[in-house]
Amino acid sequence: MLEGLDPEQRAVATALHGPVCVLAGAGTGKTRAITHRIAYGVRAGILQPSGVLAVTFTNRAAGEMRGRLRQLGAAGVQARTFHSAALRQLQYFWPKAVGGSLPRIIDRKIPIVADAAAACRIRLDRNELRDVTAEIEWSKVTQTVPADYAAAAAKTGREAPRDPAEIAQLYAAYEDLKRDRAVIDFEDVLLLTVGILQDRHDIAAEVRSQYRHFVVDEYQDVSPLQQRLLELWLGDRDSLCVVGDASQTIYSFTGATPDHLLDFRIRHPGATVVKLVRDYRSSPQVVRLANGLLAQARGRAADHRLELVSQRDPGPEPLYTEYADEPTEAEGAARRIRDLLAAGLPPAEIAVLFRTNSQSEIYEQALADAGIPYQLRGAERFFDRPEVRKAGIALRGAARFGANDSLLDGAVDLPSQVRAVLSGEGWTSTPPAGSGAVRERWESLAALVNLAQDFAAARPDATLADLVTELDERANAQHAPTVQGVTLASLHSAKGLEWDAVFVVGVAEGMMPITYAKTDEQIEEERRLLYVGVTRAREHLHISWALSRSPGGRPGRRPSRFLDGLRPGSSGAQGRAAAAGIGGIERGFSTIGTAAVPRRADRTPARCRVCGRTLSDAGEMKLMRCDGCPSDMDEGLYERLRAWRTVQAHRSGQPAFCVFTDRTLVAIAEAVPEDAGELTRIPGVGVRKLNRYGADVLAICAGQDLAEEDRDD
C-alpha cells in the first residue's frame, strides 16, 4: 500500500488516528494519497471498510475514488457525493423520523419558481427565473431563510439579479408552494437530513455507529450546510481526514467557502497537517508560472498558498501571444492546435479554456474552418443556445417583413437594424450587473450584435437577409458531429481535468478579471480561476489576448494584470519571476515550405495603391484601392481562382466564402502574388488560410496546372 508514495503521500497514508488535514496543491496526487490511506487502514485492521464514508462533490470524482479503492482491495468503502450520502440516509430514516414515504424530489425548481412569481405578481423572463433560482439555492446552502436574504446578500457583497426584497418574497412563496405540493428539492435533501440528525439523537447515534471514519475531498468547496451535516455525522469524534487547496476556491457564488479548510486547525488543535507540493502533472515551466500567479495574490487564501515543485522533466516554456483582434486570436489558436495534431498529439489531449461561455462561438468557428474536431464541455454550442436560436427567428422575421416592422423605424444600417431587433430579445447597450443567466444571455446576444457589425464592415451593402443567410451558414458549418476532439470549455468547467496542451485565451483586462468583479475578494477569485486554468496543462501552455474585439478596432485593451511581472517585457511585483525564465512571448508566425511569414502586427493607415487616398471602408481596404479607381485584375486568373474555390468548398462541405470571399479573390487576381510574403499581405489571407490554401493559390497565380485530383469532376 505504501510503495510508490512520496514521503508526504506516505505521511498521509499512515496518519490513521485523529483529525488529519491534507493541503494538496494542483497535480500533487491527492486522490492517490487518500485512497492509499483508506486501503492501508483497511489492510492494517484499523479501519473497517463498511465504517468508512468518503465524500466528494461530483459523481465523476466519487466514481473514480470507488474504482481506485476496488483496485486496492477496499471495495466495501462508501464513496459518495454529499447529496448521495444524505439522500440514502434520508430515504432510510424518513419513515421512522416522520412517517410515510419520502416526498417526491423535483428535478427542476424553475417551474415552481415561475408559479411563485405568478402568485407574487412578479414578472420574470426565462433567464431571470434561472437567476432567481440560483439565489434560492445559494440561500439554502448558506442556511439563509427568506426573511434574512436581503441582509445576507448585503453582508456578503452579493449582487442580486432583482430587488432583494422581491427575491425574499419569491423565496418564501417557493417554499410555501413546495409544502402545498408535498415535494422537496435538491437542497432540501441536505436540510432535512440535518434536521433529522439534530432532532433525533437516536437516529444520529445509529448513523454514527455505522460510519466511524470520514474522508472529505475538495474541502475548500464545502458550503455551510454541508459542513453542518459533516459535524452531525461526526458527533464528538475526530476521526476525520479532509483534503483541499484554498487556492482552487472558484465556486464562492454557489456558497462554497475555504474558511472551513483554513480554520480546520482552530477547530482541531491537535490535527495532523500534511502539505502535498510535489506536482506530478505539470512541467517545471508551467509550475513556475502557476507559483508566480499565486505569489502576487492577496487575502486569506493567499496567505495559505502552496509553493508547487514539479517532478516532471523540463518542457517548453509557456507561450504568451498578443493578437490584434479576437478573430485573429482564435485563428492563431487553431493554427497552433493543428501543428500539435500534426506532431502526433491526440485531439482529446488539447483544450481551449475561456472565461465565459459566450467566447466559445469564435473558437467553434475557427476550429471548424480549420477542419479540427472539437467538443464543447459544460455549455451548448453557440448556435444551439435558446437565446441565439430565438434571436435568429426574430432576425429572420424582420428580414422578411422589415418594411412593416416598427422596430426597424429609424434603423439606417444593418448593425442598427440588428440592435433594434435584438433589443426586443433582451439586448441592451450596457450589460446587466453581475453574473448569472441574464448576463450570459446578454453576452450571447451581444456576440450577435458584434458579428453583425463585422459583417457590415466587410460587406457594406449587405442586408438583413444576407446576415440571416450568413448565420445559417455558420451554424451549419459548425455542427458537424464529432466523437473525439479538442475540448472547448470555460475555466470553471475545467476544474478537476487536465490535458497535455492547454490554450488559455482572452486573458485581457475586462475578461480576466471579468468586468463585474469589483471587490478585492472577487478579484482574487478571478486570479484563482486563472491559476486553475494554468494548472490544467501538463506540458504545453499557451496564453493569449487580443488588443481589440474586431479587425481594425481601436487597440485599447491590455493584458490581464495577473500577468504583470510574469510575462516577458512586463513590469510588476513579480518581475524576478520573469527573469528566472518564465515563458517567451511570440507574436505569431507561420510557414509555407521553409519560408517564415510574419503576421501583420502594427496596423498603419491603409492607402489606395492607385490614387494614394487613405482608405476607411472595409471592402476597399481588402482590395487596397478605391472602388472608383481602375482595376488591373487578371480576369482569367480570377475565373481560375473561382473554379478552384468551388472545388475546395465542395470538398470541405462549407460555403464558398469560407474558403475566400469574392473580394479576396479579386485582390489576389489584381496583386498576382509571387510568394507567401506577398500573398499574406492581402487582407483576407490569414495564417490559417495561408497554410491551407497558399500553395494552391501561388501555383494558380504562377500559371501552373494543379494535379488532376485537384480539379472539379
Side-chain angles (χ1 to χ4, degrees), residues 360-376:
S360 73
E361 189 272 336
I362 195 170
Y363 290 93
E364 293 175 53
Q365 181 72 47
L367 293 179
D369 284 352
I372 298 172
Y374 67 88
Q375 54 184 336
L376 198 59

Side-chain angles (χ1 to χ4, degrees), residues 434-452:
S435 57
V438 172
R439 176 77 183 214
E440 290 178 2
R441 179 173 183 262
W442 181 90
E443 287 177 340
S444 293
L445 297 178
L448 290 175
V449 171
N450 294 335
L451 191 151

Side-chain angles (χ1 to χ4, degrees), residues 512-672:
M512 181 62 65
I514 199 76
T515 51
Y516 49 77
K518 304 296 185 183
T519 67
D520 290 344
E521 180 48 43
Q522 288 170 339
I523 295 294
E524 287 307 315
E525 183 150 336
E526 292 288 300
R527 186 194 306 276
R528 294 193 295 269
L529 191 55
L530 179 57
Y531 173 80
V532 166
V534 165
T535 54
R536 299 310 94 195
R538 298 191 190 105
E539 184 174 6
H540 302 279
L541 177 62
H542 304 252
I543 295 178
S544 62
W545 59 91
L547 296 179
S548 69
R549 184 191 62 77
S550 57
R554 184 176 65 85
R557 295 178 177 174
R558 62 174 295 267
S560 169
R561 70 190 76 173
F562 300 147
L563 300 179
D564 289 349
L566 298 174
R567 60 183 177 87
S570 66
S571 60
Q574 297 302 314
R576 56 182 176 81
I582 293 214
I585 196 161
E586 183 177 347
R587 299 292 177 182
F589 64 89
S590 179
T591 59
I592 284 186
T594 59
V597 182
R599 295 217 51 149
R600 295 185 295 275
D602 299 330
R603 295 181 180 270
T604 57
R607 298 185 182 278
C608 175
R609 55 189 171 82
V610 179
C611 70
R613 182 178 69 84
T614 299
L615 302 175
S616 58
D617 177 80
E620 292 181 341
M621 291 170 68
K622 180 163 285 192
L623 295 176
M624 293 305 293
R625 63 172 174 81
C626 304
D627 279 335
C629 287
S631 170
D632 53 357
M633 182 180 72
D634 183 329
E635 295 285 352
L637 174 58
Y638 176 71
E639 292 304 323
R640 291 195 300 275
L641 288 169
R642 280 176 56 86
W644 165 84
R645 182 182 67 174
T646 300
V647 175
Q648 298 300 320
H650 176 72
R651 286 179 174 174
S652 63
Q654 296 179 335
F657 72 84
C658 288
V659 180
F660 286 118
T661 65
D662 287 344
R663 278 187 178 269
T664 299
L665 293 187
V666 170
I668 294 172
E670 290 183 347
V672 194

Side-chain angles (χ1 to χ4, degrees), residues 169-186:
Q169 182 184 4
L170 290 166
Y171 179 12
Y174 167 79
E175 292 297 317
D176 289 340
L177 284 174
K178 283 200 294 101
R179 280 191 292 271
D180 293 343
R181 298 175 185 182
V183 296
I184 61 176
D185 62 26
F186 199 54

Side-chain angles (χ1 to χ4, degrees), residues 1-10 12-14 22 24 27-40 64-65 68-69 71-72 217 243 276 278 280:
M1 286 298 111
L2 302 181
E3 281 187 10
L5 300 183
D6 66 32
E8 294 79 26
Q9 292 172 340
R10 184 180 291 244
V12 173
T14 54
V22 183
T28 56
K30 65 180 177 65
T31 305
R32 177 180 175 82
I34 58 177
T35 52
H36 277 72
R37 178 182 184 274
I38 295 170
Y40 179 71
E64 180 185 355
M65 192 176 292
R68 292 200 190 191
L69 288 169
Q71 293 174 356
L72 294 171
D217 193 13
V243 188
L276 301 184
R278 300 174 194 254
Y280 297 95

Side-chain angles (χ1 to χ4, degrees), residues 179-253:
R179 280 191 292 271
D180 293 343
R181 298 175 185 182
V183 296
I184 61 176
D185 62 26
F186 199 54
E187 288 71 37
D188 288 332
V189 171
L190 298 183
L191 284 164
L192 291 170
T193 305
V194 165
I196 288 174
L197 295 178
Q198 285 181 159
D199 295 342
R200 293 290 299 267
H201 298 291
D202 57 330
I203 293 176
E206 192 173 342
V207 171
R208 291 166 192 160
S209 68
Q210 168 69 43
Y211 296 116
R212 299 179 178 275
H213 186 80
F214 298 87
V215 178
V216 184
D217 193 13
E218 302 288 2
Y219 194 53
Q220 78 279 352
D221 290 333
V222 166
S223 70
L225 179 57
Q226 290 165 332
Q227 174 63 23
R228 180 59 185 144
L229 178 59
L230 178 62
E231 291 168 353
L232 289 166
W233 283 340
L234 272 170
D236 58 1
R237 300 168 299 173
D238 61 2
S239 188
L240 169 67
C241 174
V242 300
V243 188
D245 179 10
S247 296
Q248 297 189 66
T249 305
I250 59 174
Y251 297 111
S252 66
F253 59 91

Side-chain angles (χ1 to χ4, degrees), residues 12 15-22 37 238 240-242 264 271-274:
V12 173
L16 295 171
H17 298 284
V20 178
C21 179
V22 183
R37 178 182 184 274
D238 61 2
L240 169 67
C241 174
V242 300
F264 191 82
T272 299
V273 178
V274 183

